[in-house]
Amino acid sequence: MHGRVKVKTTAQQEEEKRKEREKKLKIYVAARDACFSKRKEGVCDDEALQLTQQLLSSNPDFATLWNYRREILMHLETVKDPDEMQKIYEAELSFLEACLKVNPKSYGSWHHRGWVSARLPRPDWARELSLCDRCLSLDDRNFHCWDYRRMVVKVSGVPVDQELEFSDRLIGSNFSNYSSWHYRSTLLPVLHPQTRQEPPHASSPRGPQSHRVCEEQLLKEYELVQNAFFTDPNDQSAWFYYRWLLGRAEREETISCVYVSREDERVAVAFSRPINARCVGLLLVLDGQPLRVEWRSVHPRFRHSPVLICDLPPGTINDVTNEHNLTVHWTGNHTHRDCALYTGRVESWCRDTATDQELFRSELSVEKTSVLQSELQSVKQLQELEPLNKWCLLTIILLMRALDPLGYEKETLAHFQTLKEVDSMRSEYYSDLCCKFMIENTILKMEYAEVRVFSITDRNLTSLCHLDQLLLVTHINLSSNRLQRLPPQFAMLQCLEVLEADNNFLENLEGVYHLPRLQEVSLKNNKISTLTDLQPLASCPELKRLDLRGNPVTQAASVESDLAELLPSVTDLLL
Amino acid sequence: MLGTQIKDVILKPDAPSSLLLDKHADYIAAYGSKKDDYEYTLSEYLRMSGIYWGLTVMDLMGQLDRMNLQEIIDFIKACQHDCGGFSASIGHDPHLLYTLSAVQILCLYDSLHAIDVDKVVEYVKGLQQEDGSFAGDKWGEIDTRFSFCAVATLALLGKMEMINVDRAVEFVLSCMNFDGGFGCRPGSESHAGQIYCCTGFLSLTGQLHQLNADLLGWWLCERQLPSGGLNGRPEKLPDVCYSWWVLASLKIIGRIHWIDKSRLRQFILACQDEETGGFADRPGDMVDPFHTLFGVAGLSLLGEEQVKAVNPVLCMPEDVLQRIGLQPDLLS
Ligand SMILES: [Zn+2]
C-alpha cells in the first residue's frame, strides 16, 4: 500500500466510515463468493463476466479473477464465430482501458491486455501503440506501460528508428526522463551497432552494455546529452546515460598471463574475467603432449576466479637442464597462450601487460583522444559555472582517466576530495573509486618501470582490487594505509616473497593463503588480536620472518610458544 | 539554467527516532484478528505473502510464539493445489509468488514435512520456459521476479538441481541494463525491486561475478536522498520498502558502506506510527505489514541489535537459514 496519507478523523466520522465499509464488505463478499461458486461449477456465462468485471474494476490485483475471465473467453471461442469474438475481445479491451485509467500500475490488467491483444482475431496494434502514447503522456515513467509498448513494438514490427524518434520527442519535451534515456540505450546498439573487432564467437549473451554504438552516432548522442546537462546540470538521468556512452567495449576474453615455476612445478594462469575451474574447458599441453592436471581456484572462498593454478605431475619440469614449451588452451573461447621455459631458468611467463592493453583507461572507450579532449573541455566549461556539481566533477575524473591517468593524477585526487565534501552521503563510494584508480596508476607505473615490486604507501587505501594483475609481483608494500583485511583475492599473488603492510588496521589475513614463495611478512602496528587471525599464514610453507610488533596478539601470555607451534617454519619472529 | 527539484520528503523534528518494538509486535499480532475488515478482505489475493511478512517480522523481533502456528500450517496445507503450487488464499489460483511465501513460512516454523515437497518442486520446474525464464503461473506472465521466486523456493527445499540453472542464469543476465541494473524482462528499465530479485537470484545460483558490481553499486547508492531514505528509481520518492531492496542489493554485492547508514536509519525510524505501531512507506502515511517487515529488516541490515540478523537474499532470519544449512553467496 503506497502513498496513503493518514488522516485524523473524529469518532463520528469514524463510525460513519465503519458502517460504509461494512456495507461495501457485504457486497464485495457476496460477489466474490458468487464468482467462486460459479467457477467451481464450471459456469462460463455473461453473469460471471459481469461479476468479475465488477470486482476487478475496484481490485485489479485479484489475479484469480483475471484467470477466470480468460477461462470464460476461451470457452466462448469454442462456441462463437470470429466476428462475434472480435466484438467480445474489443469490449474486453475497453473494460481494460477503464481499469488502467483507475489503476495504471496493475500487473494483472497489463498482462491481461497483452493476452487479449494476442488472441484478437483481427488485432489492432496501432490502437495499442496509441494507448501507450496516451498513458505515457500522463506518466512518462510508468514501467508497466513501457514494457507493454516494447511488446507491441516487437509483435507488430514497428521499426526501431521510429521508436528512437519517439524517445527523441519524449526527451525533447522533458530531459529529466530516465525511462526514455534507458530506452535509447537499448535502441541505439540495434540501430547503429559498432562494426569493428567484435570477436566472431562473442560468447555468452549479456545485457546491452556489451553492445556498443558506432562512433558517428556516439558524437550525435554526446551533443544531445550535453544539451540535457547544460539545461539542467543536476538531472541525474543524462549523467547516467553519458557515463554509459563513454563506456568502453568489454574486453575480449583472453588468457592474459601464463606463469610457470620450475621449482614448485606449478602453472598459474590469469584470465580476462573470473572463470570457474570446474566448468571451463582448459587444456594444458607440455612439449606437444596434453597433460592431465587439476585446475583450481587460488582460494576455496571463491569458485570463480580470474587466476587458476595447477600442479604438474612430479618430475615433469624440475630438471633445470631441460627446455620446455607450454601451451594453455581455453577451448571454449578458441584462445591459447604459449610459454617457454628455457634451460637454466627457474621460472618463466608470457603475458599482456596492463600498459599494452590500456586496461585502466578507466572504463572509458578507446575513442579518439581528440573527441574525449573536447568532451573534457565542455564538461569543464560547465564546471566553471557549477563548481560544486558532483555529476560534473565525477565525469571530469572519468574523462581525465580516459585521456591520461598518470598525467592527471594530482587533479583527479583534488576532485575526489571536493566530491567527498559536496556529496558526503556517498563519500565511501568516492573513497573506493579513488583507491581503485590509485591502484591502477601504481600498476601502470610498475609496468613502465618493468619491475615486480608493487608499492602503494600512505594513500589512505581502504580496499584492494585488481589483484589478478599482480600475479607476477614478488614484493608488495601496502604500509600506512587504512586496510582492515587482506581479502581471499590476495591469494592470487602467487609469486609473492615479501609482504609489508605495517601501520594499517588489519585484523583479517584470509588472503595470505598457500603462497608458495612467501618468506617475509611485516605487519607492525595492526589490529591482529588472536592466534586464529594468523592461522592463514600456516599455509605458507616458506615463511621465515614475521614481524608482529605493535599488535594486540603480542600481549597474550603464551604467544611465543603458540606461534612456534602454529608456524614452525618461522625462524625470525619479532613480537 | 533550470534547477531540478529533488523529489523527497522532509523529516519532522518530532518524528520517532527510537525503535518502538513492542508497538510493532502488538500491531502485527492484532492485524490477523480483524478478519471481517473490508481492507483486510480486499488483500486476500496476497494473503500468503501477508502472512510471511507478518511472521518474519515477528521472528526478527523474537515474538514468533505469539502467532497461531497450527492455524497457519492448516491454512498453508489447504492452499496447496494438486499441481503442487500454492495460492494466496483458499479459492484462489496457485502462483510462484505465494509458493515461495508458503515455503518461507514453513521454514520459519521448521515444518516443511507438513506438505508434499516433491510436488512443489514439480510445480516450479514446470514453469520454466525454453529461454530459461519462469512464468508466474500457467497463464504465462514472465518476470525476473518469478526467476527469483523459483530459485529461492528450490534453494530452501535443497532442490536447485531440478531446473536448468544455466538457462535460468542466461535469461536473468539478458535483462541487465546500461546502468548495471535489471528490469522485469529483457529491455525493461532498471528498478530496485527487480535488482533485488536478480542479485538475489545470482547469489543463490553462485553467479554474482557476472554483475558489474561497481556500476550497479553506484546506481544503487545514488538512490539515497537528502532525507536519508532510498527510492527505487531515479526521480522517485523515498520509501521504506525500496530502502530494503536497495540496501539488501548493496549488501549482496558487498557495497553496503556506499550509503549513509545513520541517515537511512533516521528515515526508517521516522516512518513508524507511534500510535498504532507498524511502519508506513513514508512518514505520515498509513502503516501496513509489508512496510513493517521491510522497515525492521532494513534496520537489521544496518546493524540494529534489538532485532535478529536478517539474510539479505531471502529476507529471513539468519538463524533459520543456518538451521536449513543454506548460506547464499555475498560479494566481499
Ligand atoms: Zn513501499
Side-chain angles (χ1 to χ4, degrees):
Chain A
M1 276 138 272
H2 286 105
R4 289 203 326 176
V5 180
K6 187 176 169 182
V7 223
K8 285 247 186 286
T9 46
T10 65
Q12 194 198 344
Q13 285 170 320
E14 198 55 50
E15 179 57 20
E16 275 166 24
K17 265 190 159 173
R18 198 189 61 77
K19 277 190 179 149
E20 194 192 323
R21 279 206 295 263
E22 212 165 81
K23 222 170 93 190
K24 276 160 91 180
L25 177 67
K26 261 195 191 142
I27 300 170
Y28 181 84
V29 169
R32 180 198 63 190
D33 291 346
C35 275
F36 280 175
S37 66
K38 268 178 171 292
R39 190 179 186 210
K40 213 170 187 177
E41 288 155 22
V43 181
C44 290
D45 60 3
D46 276 347
E47 198 196 4
L49 280 178
Q50 272 161 25
L51 279 169
T52 49
Q53 174 157 350
Q54 177 197 330
L55 285 163
L56 286 165
S57 306
S58 61
N59 195 1
D61 295 326
F62 198 150
T64 302
L65 296 183
W66 289 118
N67 299 346
Y68 186 20
R69 280 185 90 78
R70 284 190 280 268
E71 287 163 3
I72 298 170
L73 291 166
M74 286 166 76
H75 166 74
L76 291 177
E77 282 183 13
T78 63
V79 294
K80 307 261 181 186
D81 67 43
D83 282 342
E84 287 171 301
M85 275 325 286
Q86 178 77 18
K87 282 204 185 92
I88 291 169
Y89 277 132
E90 277 170 5
E92 192 72 0
L93 289 176
S94 304
F95 164 50
L96 276 163
E97 197 165 333
C99 288
L100 290 170
K101 268 199 185 116
V102 181
N103 188 342
K105 295 181 179 178
S106 160
Y107 284 99
S109 310
W110 284 108
H111 177 246
H112 189 57
R113 191 166 187 101
W115 186 86
V116 171
S117 293
R119 291 185 88 90
L120 207 59
R122 292 186 301 280
D124 183 356
W125 296 110
R127 168 189 158 143
E128 296 310 295
L129 212 55
S130 89
L131 173 98
C132 294
D133 285 349
R134 272 176 289 140
C135 180
L136 290 176
S137 71
L138 295 172
D139 174 5
D140 57 18
R141 299 296 305 285
N142 182 339
F143 70 82
H144 302 275
C145 183
W146 276 106
D147 283 345
Y148 187 73
R149 182 184 187 97
R150 275 182 275 269
M151 185 279 287
V152 171
V153 164
K154 194 173 159 197
V155 174
S156 63
V158 175
V160 181
D161 57 346
Q162 203 173 308
E163 284 302 283
L164 195 67
E165 277 168 29
F166 172 70
S167 91
D168 282 340
R169 279 205 302 284
L170 286 198
I171 289 171
S173 67
N174 173 18
F175 279 129
S176 175
N177 182 340
Y178 195 86
S179 304
S180 303
W181 292 109
H182 160 80
Y183 199 26
R184 288 185 87 76
S185 81
T186 66
L187 299 173
L188 281 179
V190 179
L191 200 58
H192 304 284
Q194 187 182 44
T195 41
R196 65 194 165 85
Q197 54 119 352
E198 213 61 62
H201 46 270
S203 70
S204 63
R206 304 213 176 164
Q209 55 166 0
S210 57
H211 306 130
R212 303 302 310 174
V213 179
C214 72
E215 190 138 324
E216 192 192 340
Q217 185 64 28
L218 268 183
L219 295 179
K220 287 186 197 157
E221 292 297 303
Y222 287 158
E223 205 177 302
L224 179 68
V225 190
Q226 283 189 17
N227 278 337
F229 60 61
F230 269 92
T231 308
D232 181 358
N234 290 310
D235 171 27
Q236 55 183 309
S237 304
W239 292 107
F240 273 106
Y241 187 68
Y242 191 52
R243 191 167 177 178
W244 172 71
L245 283 179
L246 291 171
R248 59 181 284 155
E250 265 180 21
R251 284 172 62 196
E252 227 176 291
E253 301 198 321
T254 57
I255 298 174
S256 45
C257 180
V258 171
Y259 169 84
V260 55
S261 159
R262 198 189 283 274
E263 195 177 326
D264 300 330
E265 299 191 271
R266 175 180 286 191
V267 175
V269 184
F271 301 87
S272 54
R273 66 170 170 91
I275 59 171
N276 188 332
R278 252 175 290 165
C279 304
V280 79
L282 280 188
L283 181 65
L284 184 69
V285 177
L286 181 71
D287 303 323
Q289 295 296 315
L291 215 56
R292 187 190 285 276
V293 290
E294 202 164 312
W295 295 99
R296 61 180 191 273
S297 154
V298 292
H299 197 287
R301 272 282 299 281
F302 42 87
R303 273 165 294 178
H304 293 85
S305 167
V307 173
L308 295 182
I309 49 178
C310 73
D311 294 313
L312 300 178
T316 350
I317 56 168
N318 62 344
D319 185 347
V320 80
T321 60
N322 288 338
E323 180 180 322
H324 295 286
N325 288 297
L326 206 90
T327 308
V328 177
H329 293 270
W330 188 359
T331 51
N333 280 45
H334 309 285
T335 61
H336 64 92
R337 188 171 279 276
D338 303 317
C339 179
L341 179 60
Y342 297 117
T343 313
R345 300 284 298 270
V346 294
E347 62 180 3
S348 179
W349 62 83
C350 172
R351 63 163 187 159
D352 293 331
T353 67
T355 47
D356 292 341
Q357 297 198 346
E358 301 195 75
L359 260 189
F360 304 135
R361 298 255 146 162
S362 174
E363 314 109 70
L364 294 197
S365 59
V366 276
E367 250 130 73
K368 290 186 205 100
T369 309
S370 59
V371 176
L372 292 174
Q373 197 60 259
S374 90
E375 291 302 303
L376 179 60
Q377 289 320 314
S378 307
V379 185
K380 273 182 157 173
Q381 258 173 35
L382 181 58
Q383 196 228 348
E384 276 167 33
L385 302 168
E386 301 264 329
L388 300 181
N389 181 300
K390 64 171 196 171
W391 306 102
C392 221
L393 285 164
L394 182 58
T395 307
I396 289 174
I397 291 174
L398 297 174
L399 284 165
M400 285 179 165
R401 287 203 63 73
L403 282 160
D404 183 1
L406 295 176
Y408 283 116
E409 184 172 274
K410 232 176 128 184
E411 274 174 88
T412 305
L413 289 176
H415 284 325
F416 267 119
Q417 199 49 45
T418 319
L419 262 178
K420 284 186 221 174
E421 284 156 22
V422 298
D423 190 18
S424 61
M425 273 185 158
R426 277 160 282 272
S427 63
E428 294 288 319
Y429 168 66
Y430 300 121
S431 289
D432 282 358
L433 193 61
C434 186
C435 282
K436 183 174 159 202
F437 290 164
M438 282 190 296
I439 289 173
E440 290 174 358
N441 283 3
T442 310
I443 293 174
L444 287 177
K445 285 178 205 165
M446 171 179 79
E447 299 205 336
Y448 283 125
E450 293 183 25
V451 291
R452 294 168 76 181
V453 178
F454 181 87
S455 175
I456 181 164
T457 61
D458 206 11
R459 301 309 286 271
N460 286 319
L461 221 57
T462 49
S463 60
L464 294 173
C465 58
H466 292 310
L467 291 165
D468 55 310
Q469 297 291 319
L470 306 185
L471 173 59
L472 300 176
V473 163
T474 56
H475 291 63
I476 191 166
N477 188 350
L478 302 167
S479 294
S480 302
N481 283 298
R482 289 164 49 207
L483 297 171
Q484 295 178 344
R485 57 195 295 242
L486 297 176
Q489 287 78 358
F490 196 80
M492 292 190 280
L493 278 74
Q494 285 286 309
C495 299
L496 195 64
E497 292 166 13
V498 178
L499 160 63
E500 286 173 84
D502 301 335
N503 307 315
N504 276 284
F505 304 112
L506 290 173
E507 49 187 335
N508 181 325
L509 305 175
E510 232 181 324
V512 191
Y513 177 82
H514 281 283
L515 298 177
R517 293 301 172 85
L518 189 63
Q519 292 174 23
E520 288 185 38
V521 173
S522 182
L523 297 169
K524 275 180 288 199
N525 305 320
N526 277 289
K527 302 274 179 217
I528 297 155
S529 52
T530 68
L531 225 52
T532 324
D533 297 337
L534 292 165
Q535 184 71 44
L537 298 184
S539 66
C540 301
E542 298 293 319
L543 188 61
K544 300 277 181 307
R545 185 174 193 277
L546 177 61
D547 192 341
L548 288 173
R549 284 175 290 177
N551 280 284
V553 71
T554 57
Q555 305 303 314
S558 57
V559 63
E560 215 156 332
S561 58
D562 289 346
L563 277 176
E565 196 180 325
L566 179 68
L567 308 169
S569 64
V570 174
T571 50
D572 195 357
L573 179 66
L574 294 160
L575 293 172
Chain B
M1 283 187 217
L2 298 168
T4 347
Q5 198 66 41
I6 296 180
K7 284 189 189 144
D8 197 4
V9 297
I10 291 167
L11 304 189
K12 291 195 180 124
D14 62 346
S17 58
S18 63
L19 180 54
L20 311 167
L21 277 183
D22 293 342
K23 286 223 160 102
H24 302 321
D26 291 346
Y27 164 71
I28 296 290
Y31 187 82
S33 63
K34 44 177 186 177
K35 296 205 167 69
D36 304 327
D37 185 76
Y38 178 57
E39 306 282 330
Y40 185 84
T41 308
L42 276 188
S43 64
E44 190 181 75
Y45 70 88
L46 52 67
R47 184 71 62 240
M48 190 66 79
S49 295
I51 296 173
Y52 152 74
W53 300 326
L55 293 181
T56 304
V57 70
M58 285 303 250
D59 197 352
L60 289 173
M61 296 187 295
Q63 305 265 347
L64 190 58
D65 53 1
R66 282 173 72 176
M67 308 302 271
N68 190 332
L69 178 135
Q70 199 49 54
E71 189 189 340
I72 289 165
I73 302 281
D74 290 345
F75 174 77
I76 292 178
K77 282 162 90 170
C79 288
Q80 188 171 24
H81 293 245
D82 290 340
C83 61
F86 289 84
S87 54
S89 195
I90 294 158
H92 292 243
D93 290 347
H95 196 284
L96 265 183
L97 287 168
Y98 310 112
T99 302
L100 171 59
S101 293
V103 168
Q104 283 175 306
I105 297 167
L106 292 168
C107 289
L108 291 180
Y109 277 138
D110 202 6
S111 299
L112 278 173
H113 52 81
I115 54 148
D116 189 337
V117 167
D118 291 339
K119 288 196 93 170
V120 182
V121 175
E122 275 311 302
Y123 178 69
V124 175
K125 188 178 152 77
L127 290 171
Q128 189 169 27
Q129 310 295 300
E130 200 48 41
D131 64 358
S133 66
F134 281 84
D137 63 10
K138 68 172 187 175
W139 295 100
E141 187 183 3
I142 303 295
D143 193 309
T144 46
R145 284 181 302 151
F146 308 147
S147 295
F148 173 76
C149 291
V151 299
T153 302
L154 295 182
L156 288 168
L157 299 176
K159 302 275 186 187
M160 188 77 93
E161 73 285 353
M162 296 297 284
I163 54 162
N164 188 332
V165 176
D166 291 347
R167 283 255 173 90
V169 169
E170 219 169 274
F171 176 77
V172 166
L173 291 177
S174 74
C175 298
M176 198 193 281
N177 289 320
F178 80 108
D179 46 26
F182 296 83
C184 303
R185 291 181 280 280
S188 304
E189 181 183 345
S190 297
H191 176 295
Q194 309 292 148
I195 291 172
Y196 166 77
C197 289
C198 293
T199 51
F201 171 96
L202 293 173
S203 157
L204 291 166
T205 51
Q207 298 288 325
L208 283 174
H209 65 280
Q210 307 261 22
L211 289 166
N212 187 340
D214 284 339
L215 186 65
L216 174 58
W218 177 55
W219 188 91
L220 288 168
C221 75
E222 281 295 344
R223 299 304 103 238
Q224 189 164 34
L225 298 165
S227 66
L230 311 181
N231 61 15
R233 288 192 286 159
E235 287 125 17
K236 294 282 178 182
L237 284 171
D239 181 327
V240 162
C241 70
Y242 288 112
S243 299
W244 160 261
W245 285 322
V246 173
L247 196 64
S249 305
L250 281 169
K251 177 75 182 172
I252 293 169
I253 66 169
R255 281 151 178 82
I256 198 171
H257 59 292
W258 283 2
I259 55 142
D260 187 327
K261 292 187 192 172
S262 72
R263 299 274 280 279
L264 175 57
R265 185 182 150 82
Q266 259 173 27
F267 172 84
I268 296 177
L269 289 173
C271 293
Q272 298 175 104
D273 188 320
E274 284 172 304
E275 290 166 17
T276 60
F279 288 71
D281 58 348
R282 284 182 277 283
D285 283 359
M286 301 282 280
V287 300
D288 59 65
F290 176 78
H291 289 95
T292 304
L293 167 62
F294 293 128
V296 171
L299 292 172
S300 168
L301 273 193
L302 290 170
E304 172 60 56
E305 284 173 352
Q306 293 180 68
V307 296
K308 286 192 197 175
V310 70
N311 181 275
V313 175
L314 290 152
C315 194
M316 293 167 72
E318 288 283 12
D319 59 1
V320 172
L321 296 185
Q322 261 156 31
R323 189 171 63 210
I324 302 173
L326 181 61
Q327 274 307 308
D329 292 351
L330 304 179
L331 290 181
S332 58

